[in-house]
């Protein structure tokens, strides 16, 4: 349920959320997008096949490798990366349009992509979701049942490498107890969107344009 009485800021923010598969990042993001009015999810392009329940154009734009390469060649991607032999990328136009219109947008991308976004948009707010222990990732991936044992082990190795780079991020979210992690992630979004520099509208509304 959306927070009542919360208005989007005058100037939107670009949020980057990373965290290895199995950290529960998608669950946390869904809850935050459901709760914080005005936050929008950036739908990435990927060459991987949809998992059960994933919808084209909602979770990802599922594209063939040729189509992906063409988007890349035409400069249509804000960032891109290869993860486990699969290509992932953020379509540039919707992100730039959202920011130009003062809307806020959330990118769920890996550490390579986050570095590229930071290089072109240093104001991006970056958040890294940590699992309480590496073993929890294995349990979650096995529980999800979509990856074979080899893929699970590869994702765990990759998770360890990604976690080693969490020092590049502004915020950490520890996803041990879901309720607490949700409060943390939503708290970060709300705090960043409450920055005075984004909230001239609130001051104007109170003072009727007269500044103290
Ligand atoms: P999954 O295949 O489990 O949905 O995602 C695997 C990894 O790819 C996750 O770490 C996710 O954040 C990352 N990812 C998803 N979309 C993008 C994207 O557009 N760019 C980059 N760089 N990484 C992405």
């Amino acid at each position: 349920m959306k927070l009542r009485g919360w208005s989007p800021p005058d100037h939107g923010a670009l949020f980057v959320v990373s965290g290895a598969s199995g950290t529960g990042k998608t669950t946390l993001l869904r809850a935050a997008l459901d709760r914080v009015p005005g936050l929008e999810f950036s739908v990435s392009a990927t060459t991987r096949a949809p998992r059960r329940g994933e919808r084209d154009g909602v979770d990802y734009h599922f594209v063939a490798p040729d189509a992906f390469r063409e988007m890349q060649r035409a400069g249509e991607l804000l960032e891109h990366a290869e993860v486990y032999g699969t290509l992932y990328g953020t379509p540039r136009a919707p992100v730039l349009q959202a920011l130009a219109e003062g809307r806020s947008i959330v990118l769920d991308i890996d550490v390579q992509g986050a570095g590229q976004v930071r290089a072109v948009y240093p104001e991006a707010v970056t958040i890294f979701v940590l699992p309480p222990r590496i073993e929890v990732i294995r349990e979650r991936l096995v529980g999800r049942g979509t990856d074979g044992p080899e893929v699970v082990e590869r994702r765990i190795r990759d998770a360890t490498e990604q976690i080693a780079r969490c020092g590049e991020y502004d915020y950490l979210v520890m996803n041990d107890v879901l309720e607490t992690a949700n409060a943390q992630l939503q708290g970060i979004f709300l705090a960043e969107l409450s920055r005075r520099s984004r909230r001239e509208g609130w001051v104007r509304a109170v003072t009727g344009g007269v500044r103290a």
Side-chain angles (χ1 to χ4, degrees):
M1 204 175 50
K2 294 272 191 236
L3 282 173
R4 289 181 302 129
W6 175 260
S7 54
D10 311 307
H11 312 289
L14 174 60
F15 293 102
V16 173
V17 182
S18 299
S21 330
T23 48
K25 184 182 48 171
T26 310
T27 308
L28 291 169
L29 275 177
R30 283 214 184 106
L33 289 161
D34 216 40
R35 188 110 174 102
V36 182
L39 267 190
E40 296 172 30
F41 182 67
S42 157
V43 180
S44 295
T46 182
T47 58
R48 83 156 163 73
R51 295 197 186 109
R52 198 176 326 127
E54 284 184 332
R55 287 167 297 165
D56 189 30
V58 176
D59 300 287
Y60 280 106
H61 299 290
F62 295 100
V63 299
D66 282 354
F68 191 97
R69 295 279 181 213
E70 181 50 33
M71 291 170 84
Q72 214 178 325
R73 201 197 51 74
E76 290 171 12
L77 299 177
L78 181 67
E79 61 74 38
H80 57 87
E82 190 169 334
V83 187
Y84 322 120
T86 300
L87 300 167
Y88 294 90
T90 302
R92 183 193 300 275
V95 174
L96 296 188
Q97 195 177 342
L99 293 174
E101 291 173 4
R103 292 180 282 125
S104 297
I105 194 145
V106 183
L107 274 51
D108 169 354
I109 61 177
D110 80 324
V111 288
Q112 307 170 64
Q116 295 170 43
V117 171
R118 221 183 274 108
V120 293
Y121 198 84
E123 312 90 294
V125 177
T126 57
I127 305 164
F128 193 93
V129 181
L130 283 169
R133 295 175 308 283
I134 285 287
E135 270 315 301
V136 170
I137 293 188
R138 180 176 285 111
E139 287 157 23
R140 287 188 185 145
L141 290 178
V142 170
R144 189 162 76 186
T146 50
D147 302 312
E150 259 176 49
V151 175
V152 168
E153 290 315 312
R154 197 175 57 197
R155 283 183 186 265
I156 288 166
R157 274 200 307 277
D158 181 75
T160 313
E161 284 169 22
Q162 295 217 18
I163 291 166
R165 292 182 58 182
C166 72
E168 297 170 21
Y169 287 73
D170 299 315
Y171 292 98
L172 297 179
V173 168
M174 164 52 70
N175 190 14
D176 187 359
V177 175
L178 184 62
E179 186 193 351
T180 305
N182 272 328
Q184 236 196 307
L185 182 61
Q186 291 166 29
I188 294 164
F189 287 142
L190 294 176
E192 285 290 338
L193 297 174
S194 301
R195 282 189 180 275
R196 188 176 38 73
S197 55
R198 299 188 201 281
R199 289 295 183 178
E200 293 113 4
W202 275 349
V203 182
R204 268 199 309 277
V206 178
T207 62
V210 182
R211 288 267 199 142

